[in-house]
């Protein structure tokens, strides 16, 4: 049986194909077919990588364009809280400006006691403090009813919860427990990579 000669997949180190510095130094241009094909393959591979990264970026951008519903809920709570704080400020200002006999009305969620001799601004402030307080509480509970769908959304909710606490504002009863329940539901999904 005849023994086959060795076949080299790459040329030996002594050939001019591996000494491109020598050939390009003497010729000025490397015109070998193998060099051309390797450059073409590199460009093709680079284009494929670029196309893949662009399609991944496009799909990630598509995921980013689908807004996490918790972000809108956070903004709604911030707006409701700001409105409530504004009305509390007006109420306090009127409490300092008006004599006690002009601010006897009391309006709560359960009852409304209007005194006709009261300043109408006091009555409006009493009513608005109650209404905006209820709106803020509803918006706070929405924060624990809406489940974040992204990591960004979960982080935004946590940051909002911490900053609201740090500012000295109280959350409604059992709100923190609801937040913890949501965390226990969402965090396993985060670790398994099912959320962006």
């Amino acid at each position: 049986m005849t023994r086959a000669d060795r076949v080299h997949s790459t040329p030996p180190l002594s050939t001019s194909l591996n000494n491109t510095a020598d050939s390009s130094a003497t010729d000025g241009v490397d015109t070998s077919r193998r060099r051309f094909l390797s450059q073409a393959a590199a460009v093709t591979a680079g284009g494929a990588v670029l196309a893949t990264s662009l399609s991944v970026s496009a799909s990630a951008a598509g995921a980013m364009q689908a807004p996490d519903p918790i972000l809108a809920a956070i903004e709604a709570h911030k707006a409701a809280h700001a409105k409530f704080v504004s009305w509390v400020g007006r109420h306090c200002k009127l409490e300092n400006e008006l004599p006690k006999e002009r601010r006897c009305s009391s309006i709560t969620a359960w009852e409304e006691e209007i005194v006709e001799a009261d300043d109408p601004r006091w009555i409006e402030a009493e009513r608005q403090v109650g209404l905006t307080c209820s709106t803020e509480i509803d918006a706070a509970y929405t924060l624990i009813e809406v489940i974040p769908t992204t990591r960004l959304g979960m982080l935004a909710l946590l940051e909002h919860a911490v900053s609201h606490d740090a500012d000295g504002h109280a959350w409604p009863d059992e709100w923190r427990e609801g937040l913890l329940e949501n965390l226990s539901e969402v965090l396993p999904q985060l670790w398994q990579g099912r959320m962006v």
Side-chain angles (χ1 to χ4, degrees):
M1 185 175 208
T2 313
R3 200 168 105 189
D5 293 332
R6 276 195 223 184
V7 176
H8 294 284
S9 61
T10 57
L13 293 174
S14 60
T15 66
S16 64
L17 291 175
N18 281 327
N19 296 324
T20 56
D22 293 339
S23 66
S24 61
T26 57
D27 301 337
V29 177
D30 184 8
T31 57
S32 71
R33 183 172 185 262
R34 182 173 280 174
R35 177 100 171 133
F36 172 79
L37 291 174
S38 69
Q39 287 176 339
V43 168
T44 303
V49 168
L50 179 60
T52 302
S53 70
L54 288 176
S55 66
V56 168
S57 297
S59 64
M64 294 295 282
Q65 289 176 354
D68 188 327
I70 197 65
L71 299 176
I74 291 168
E75 291 307 311
H77 179 259
K78 286 179 181 179
H81 177 71
K83 203 168 194 181
F84 170 64
V85 168
S86 174
W87 275 105
V88 168
R90 292 181 199 179
H91 189 273
C92 289
K93 185 177 176 186
L94 288 170
E95 194 171 33
N96 291 330
E97 288 177 6
L98 298 173
K100 187 171 174 94
E101 62 272 2
R102 299 279 291 160
R103 49 183 176 85
C104 297
S105 296
S106 174
I107 302 172
T108 65
W110 304 276
E111 64 180 323
E112 196 173 283
E113 188 179 313
I114 305 291
V115 176
E116 294 299 322
D118 275 356
D119 189 301
R121 295 175 297 163
W122 177 259
I123 297 169
E124 179 65 10
E126 277 282 310
R127 184 171 284 123
Q128 289 301 320
V129 166
L131 289 173
T132 57
C133 179
S134 294
T135 302
E136 187 201 2
I137 289 171
D138 290 344
Y141 278 116
T142 298
L143 290 174
I144 57 174
E145 292 167 357
V146 174
I147 304 295
T149 58
T150 64
R151 292 176 187 164
L152 178 66
M154 184 48 121
L155 289 174
L157 176 60
L158 289 172
E159 286 176 2
H160 179 61
V162 168
S163 68
H164 192 73
D165 265 353
D167 288 346
H169 303 291
W171 289 105
D173 293 340
E174 300 172 1
W175 190 89
R176 288 179 185 88
E177 291 83 359
L179 178 65
L180 291 174
E181 286 176 20
N182 283 354
L183 283 172
S184 67
E185 182 178 327
V186 171
L187 286 176
Q189 295 174 21
L190 286 172
W191 296 137
Q192 295 172 4
R194 288 186 287 193
M195 293 175 74
V196 181

